Amino acid sequence: MKLPLILLLAGHALALAAERPNGFLGIPWGASPEEAKRVLQKRPGVVFPEGADDYHIELTGGSFAGQPVAKWVLEFPERKFASAAVTLKTDGNAGTVHKEFCDGLVSKYGPSTSDKKTGAVTRKGAPASTAGKVAMWKFPVTMKDKTVVLIAAEVTSVKAKGGEDPNAAVTIKYVNETLTGAAASGKEPPKTAMPVKKEDL
């Protein structure tokens, strides 16, 4: 009777000890827009738009985890950094890029807490012939950290006769659900996906 209890407690302790993201690319959760801009301006190739506001910043260029980036979106509800989404350029290899990112996330954070397919939609609004794939890692509140954090990696792919759609998108999203209010409101944040350089994760 004692051995199963000890194994259960040890397994629970390991789960609680698992690494969780404290932010995104060195930008801590709750950071100001100015602090986030300083960090991202140091990244080669990242282009800032003129007149970005303090609640929603969209950038282009640069790379994330070694993969070229089409678009970065950072959200600052109440001027506090709460989420980042990175849409990657995949050059027709969205499935491979998604798998590589998921493998990197698994090696850093352990197995995903959810893997599912979604009803993908083409850019023209017609249902896609294949569904998008979403892998999620959810980090619940702990004694040490009172926030709920989510990482999602999504590929939205439209299967063409000749293979994968060259315009398929891979988006990686890091979300502090406590700061975005999604956890309190019961809303699930938009699902996204990302490729992975282990040090960026």
Side-chain angles (χ1 to χ4, degrees), residues 19-27 29 39-40 43-44 46 62-69 72 81 84 86 88 101 104-105 107-109 151 172-174 194-201:
E19 187 176 353
R20 63 188 282 140
N22 298 326
F24 175 74
L25 293 179
I27 305 167
W29 299 123
V39 170
L40 288 172
R43 294 188 72 84
V46 175
S63 66
F64 178 71
Q67 188 72 28
V69 172
W72 310 75
F81 175 58
V86 183
L88 305 165
F101 266 85
L105 289 165
S107 72
K108 185 163 185 174
Y109 300 112
I151 299 175
I172 308 302
K173 187 160 192 169
Y174 286 67
M194 127 184 6
V196 172
K197 225 187 220 177
K198 198 169 180 181
E199 62 271 13
D200 283 350
L201 302 176

Side-chain angles (χ1 to χ4, degrees), residues 4 16 22 32 49 51 57 59 69 98 102 121 123 134 159 161-163 171 175 187 196-197 199:
L16 291 176
N22 298 326
S32 70
I57 300 173
L59 314 152
V69 172
H98 181 259
C102 287
V121 174
R123 284 182 173 65
V134 180
K159 193 75 171 171
K161 286 182 182 177
T171 304
V175 180
K187 294 180 187 171
V196 172
K197 225 187 220 177
E199 62 271 13

Side-chain angles (χ1 to χ4, degrees), residues 74-142:
L74 280 71
E75 300 283 345
F76 299 85
E78 298 181 19
R79 288 186 39 85
K80 294 180 180 177
F81 175 58
S83 73
V86 183
T87 302
L88 305 165
K89 294 180 181 177
T90 61
D91 297 325
N93 295 311
T96 302
V97 169
H98 181 259
K99 183 184 180 322
E100 288 174 2
F101 266 85
C102 287
D103 290 347
L105 289 165
V106 166
S107 72
K108 185 163 185 174
Y109 300 112
S112 62
T113 54
S114 173
D115 254 331
K116 59 185 172 183
K117 290 192 177 234
T118 62
V121 174
T122 66
R123 284 182 173 65
K124 294 179 182 174
S129 56
T130 58
K133 182 171 169 82
V134 180
M136 289 188 270
W137 288 258
K138 192 157 189 168
F139 305 88
V141 172
T142 65

